Amino acid sequence: MPLNLIMLGAPGAGKGTQAERVARQHGVPKISTGDMLRDGIRQGLPLALVAKAKMDRGELVDDDTMIGIVRERLSRPDAVNGFVLDGFPRTVAQGRALDGLMSERGSGPLMVIDIVVPEDEIVRRLAVRRICSKCGTNADPADAEPTCRTCGGTLVHRSDDDERVVRERLRVYEGQTKPLVDYYRSRPTFGTVNGAQSPDRVAEELEATIADAARAAAGASLGARG
Ligand code: AMP
């Protein structure tokens, strides 16, 4: 069964790091809409440059733009056997559009995992987060290295990790993204993971939750076949 996984959670909950790991482990692409927008900005793409003003203020880019980007990305050959989505959907409208896309694909259910971390811990994490200015990889916060271990690029603080912008991103998360948790919660393929632990512990809990969700999905499709 394909792994069609969505990672939910506040900015700084560790979605990106964990999504990377799960994607590698299961041989599917990690699709991060934030990374795609930042890549587009680095390349000077007009659509991404329009999005930049919103990103710098901690606001969301409009649903139609984001749905279009994800629709195109999921249609590429490397995503036929599944994907890990990080940072999408971020609104209930995006969630509904993704459900529509999934039924067009007919490729098995979505699994949804919410990584939960208290707000104080989020603010503390984002204050010290550094990413590579060249390839976008998140640096390990415990690592004092000034350059990226993946490509040697310079590590920088993300401009939207500035404390004032972080507060706005958390406000946007509470108002626009958290309602998605209620949108998905009643599905048998929904699970939560405690993100306030070491990355290794989070990864273990995540794999166990994915296995539970896969069993629930298999049960649901057996049930559907009668
Ligand atoms: P992220 O790297 O996921 O924290 O995303 C950085 C910024 O990109 C967000 O604060 C938004 O401005 C924008 N963005 C990324 N994904 C989405 C999305 N699915 N919907 C709207 N805006 C997004």
Side-chain angles (χ1 to χ4, degrees):
M1 181 181 301
L3 179 76
N4 301 321
L5 178 67
I6 302 175
M7 310 274 273
L8 294 180
K15 300 187 296 293
T17 306
Q18 296 296 337
E20 187 87 53
R21 207 158 165 161
V22 174
R24 208 178 321 116
Q25 194 139 329
H26 293 261
V28 295
K30 169 200 159 187
I31 301 178
S32 155
T33 44
D35 284 352
M36 289 171 82
L37 290 169
R38 283 183 291 275
D39 274 353
I41 293 168
R42 279 193 286 273
Q43 291 169 38
L45 301 182
L47 197 72
L49 292 175
V50 172
K52 185 177 187 308
K54 296 218 160 165
M55 294 169 75
D56 284 345
R57 288 196 297 267
E59 295 167 12
L60 294 185
V61 178
D62 68 280
D63 286 334
D64 287 348
T65 301
M66 298 313 301
I67 292 164
I69 289 176
V70 169
R71 174 185 284 278
E72 188 281 324
R73 180 64 188 87
L74 290 183
S75 71
R76 294 195 210 159
D78 66 338
V80 281
N81 288 321
F83 52 79
V84 180
L85 269 172
D86 157 27
F88 185 96
R90 250 185 166 96
T91 63
V92 172
Q94 293 179 14
R96 292 212 172 95
L98 183 61
D99 279 340
L101 269 178
M102 295 308 294
S103 47
E104 280 169 32
R105 284 163 68 99
S107 65
L110 273 177
M111 293 180 196
V112 183
I113 295 186
D114 185 26
I115 304 188
V116 183
V117 177
E119 182 170 333
D120 287 357
E121 169 72 8
I122 294 275
V123 173
R124 197 188 60 72
R125 285 186 189 180
L126 294 183
V128 298
R129 173 159 84 174
R130 292 176 309 157
I131 66 161
C132 174
S133 56
K134 216 160 122 196
C135 73
T137 301
N138 266 344
D140 177 348
D143 194 348
E145 200 56 35
T147 51
C148 174
R149 290 200 182 263
T150 306
C151 76
T154 311
L155 296 177
V156 294
H157 191 61
R158 254 173 67 170
S159 54
D160 61 347
D161 280 348
D162 166 83
E163 190 180 337
R164 196 178 38 79
V165 183
V166 164
R167 297 273 171 208
E168 176 60 13
R169 286 165 66 206
L170 289 174
R171 205 184 60 76
V172 166
Y173 170 76
E174 284 294 324
Q176 300 194 58
T177 306
K178 225 169 170 190
L180 268 173
V181 175
D182 291 328
Y183 178 73
Y184 289 121
R185 194 187 298 281
S186 62
R187 300 188 187 186
T189 52
F190 173 87
T192 58
V193 164
N194 172 12
Q197 316 178 76
S198 72
D200 286 346
R201 275 294 302 143
V202 176
E204 277 172 33
E205 221 182 273
L206 193 55
E207 278 304 323
T209 310
I210 290 171
D212 286 347
R215 272 192 292 275
S221 60
L222 282 177
R225 278 201 289 276

